Amino acid sequence: MRLFSDDSSSITDPFLQRAWMLARRGVGTTSPNPMVGCVIVRDARIVGEGWHERPGGPHAEVAALRQAGTAAAGATAYVTLEPCTHHGRTPPCTDALLQAGVARVVIGMHDPSEVASGGAADLRSAGIEVNFADDPLPFEALNPGWLSLVRQSRPWITVKVALSLDGKIGAGPGSRARISGPCSQAVTMRLRAGSDAVLIGARTAIADDSRLTVRDSDGVPAARQPLRVVFTRTTDPAGCSLFRDGSGCAALLVPKDSALSAPEGAQAVTYDSEGGVGSAMRSLAVAGVARVLVEPGQLLFGALWDANLIDELVLIHAGGVAGEDWTGMYAASGSQTSEQLETRMSPTEAAVTGNDVVTVWQRT
């Protein structure tokens, strides 16, 4: 997720760019389906536009065609993702475009899924001109979660960590400490709002007792809340507030063979303990989570890093030094032996917010 810039700026076609902007309106509401936008253009004028709002609702092409009405005949459809060919909860979008009589379709990116791909070929077979954008990357950036489900059978994993200048993230086991300033709270809220689930480890849940909700600057909860997940092997976090505050759905991510059970009103998501954190992430995918934000302590961060499961890392640096008694971000029994640091992530964004600095990194 771009926090301080906009992927659409690199799209040269203005109608495809408009379709991209429409697709973004589905942030947080379409998962596990992709966000898609569509614009119908006739005689260089937009006659219809739409976006996918929620699973089971009209797809972007259908919404745009309804608005265009009879003006869609002979028009050009601009759509961010290759129109689908399968009949799920809604009919195929390819059929809708054919029935509307469009003359041309311009597509942002191919559909990589086995179930729904092939729309471009079907349209061409029917005599419709089909073109793809020169650069699919801005359109892929719309749906990292959906693409991760399709390609890796797990959610897109964003990790957010607030740390001191000397790399410390906490005051020690069982202690709670605030590191980042109030301005960076808006970054956290935006990350949560764009995620299907927010996940923390059981020890962090007990120490911080965070509710993991999305709130505005006045502390008012948003109407739509992500699933709040506590990940554990043996520690029981049942007393945490997020399981009983009524501020949204909560889940306990727990091994299949565990004696622990989800608190009343919470969902239980089970994983194979032998598969470790990777198995846990795949279980979230089965539960319909396409994007998960992890707000980890040292142990959970280390597990994700060692398993190479971090797709995106958001670091919030505060301007102070904590000292050796505080907990570092990462701890391991071994260390790198080569003289050159092996880098796994590349920076994508950086910004100053209040007295903190936010950097965003993605896996190379």
Side-chain angles (χ1 to χ4, degrees):
M1 175 188 293
R2 290 278 181 178
L3 292 173
F4 309 108
S5 58
D6 190 343
D7 288 293
S8 71
S9 60
S10 62
I11 303 173
T12 56
D13 188 301
F15 296 123
L16 269 182
Q17 188 179 62
R18 174 60 180 167
W20 191 100
M21 298 300 294
L22 288 167
R24 283 288 298 170
R25 296 184 182 182
V27 169
T29 65
T30 64
S31 187
N33 292 353
M35 293 187 291
V36 182
C38 180
V39 171
I40 309 297
V41 177
R42 184 168 182 173
D43 299 326
R45 183 175 64 88
I46 294 177
V47 294
E49 57 183 29
W51 69 95
H52 184 45
E53 297 185 31
R54 64 185 185 282
H59 285 193
E61 297 94 323
V62 173
L65 289 169
R66 286 177 179 173
Q67 189 178 100
T70 57
T76 297
Y78 293 82
V79 61
T80 56
L81 178 67
E82 182 179 8
C84 62
T85 57
H86 79 300
H87 198 300
R89 282 185 277 188
T90 60
C93 296
T94 300
D95 290 355
L97 291 166
L98 292 172
Q99 292 168 7
V102 299
R104 179 172 175 250
V105 180
V106 181
I107 303 169
M109 64 169 286
H110 286 276
D111 187 332
S113 65
E114 294 182 5
V115 175
S117 61
D122 288 355
L123 291 168
R124 285 176 175 143
S125 295
I128 295 176
E129 180 184 351
V130 177
N131 304 109
F132 280 88
D134 294 332
D135 183 9
L137 292 181
F139 304 96
E140 291 188 2
L142 273 173
N143 294 296
W146 175 73
L147 289 172
S148 185
L149 291 182
V150 171
R151 294 168 175 169
Q152 303 181 89
S153 299
R154 67 162 178 83
W156 173 269
I157 300 170
T158 298
V159 173
K160 187 220 73 174
V161 178
L163 69 166
S164 63
L165 292 177
D166 55 341
K168 302 303 175 66
I169 64 171
S175 300
R176 180 177 184 177
R178 178 174 293 278
I179 296 176
S180 58
C183 290
S184 61
Q185 184 75 352
V187 171
T188 298
M189 292 301 110
R190 185 173 178 188
L191 288 169
R192 289 179 182 177
S195 302
D196 302 317
V198 182
L199 182 147
I200 56 176
R203 294 184 182 181
T204 300
I206 294 170
D208 293 352
D209 201 23
S210 173
R211 296 191 175 187
L212 304 181
T213 53
V214 180
R215 306 176 300 276
D216 64 18
S217 57
D218 295 323
V220 178
R224 181 260 173 193
Q225 295 289 338
L227 177 68
R228 299 169 297 163
V229 183
V230 178
F231 176 43
T232 187
R233 289 178 63 90
T234 58
T235 303
D236 187 355
C240 294
S241 297
L242 65 85
F243 289 119
R244 58 178 187 276
D245 63 7
S247 297
C249 297
L252 188 69
L253 184 57
V254 63
K256 293 178 181 178
D257 55 357
S258 174
L260 298 176
S261 58
E264 183 178 355
Q267 176 183 356
V269 179
T270 60
Y271 67 95
D272 182 358
S273 58
E274 292 185 0
V277 68
S279 174
M281 294 301 112
R282 289 189 293 274
S283 291
L284 285 179
V286 174
V289 174
R291 297 189 66 157
V292 58
L293 172 66
V294 184
E295 301 183 12
Q298 184 188 70
L299 293 178
L300 182 52
F301 178 86
L304 290 166
W305 182 267
D306 290 344
N308 198 23
L309 287 172
I310 301 176
D311 297 304
E312 184 176 54
L313 177 60
V314 180
L315 298 178
I316 302 175
H317 290 267
V321 171
E324 62 180 9
D325 291 337
W326 280 45
T327 304
M329 185 168 78
Y330 178 78
S333 56
S335 61
Q336 186 166 293
T337 56
S338 63
E339 295 182 359
Q340 178 67 39
L341 181 69
E342 179 186 356
T343 57
R344 188 182 295 174
M345 310 201 81
S346 298
T348 58
E349 291 186 287
V352 175
T353 173
N355 291 324
D356 301 326
V357 172
V358 180
T359 56
V360 183
W361 304 72
Q362 287 194 358
R363 192 202 336 221
T364 53

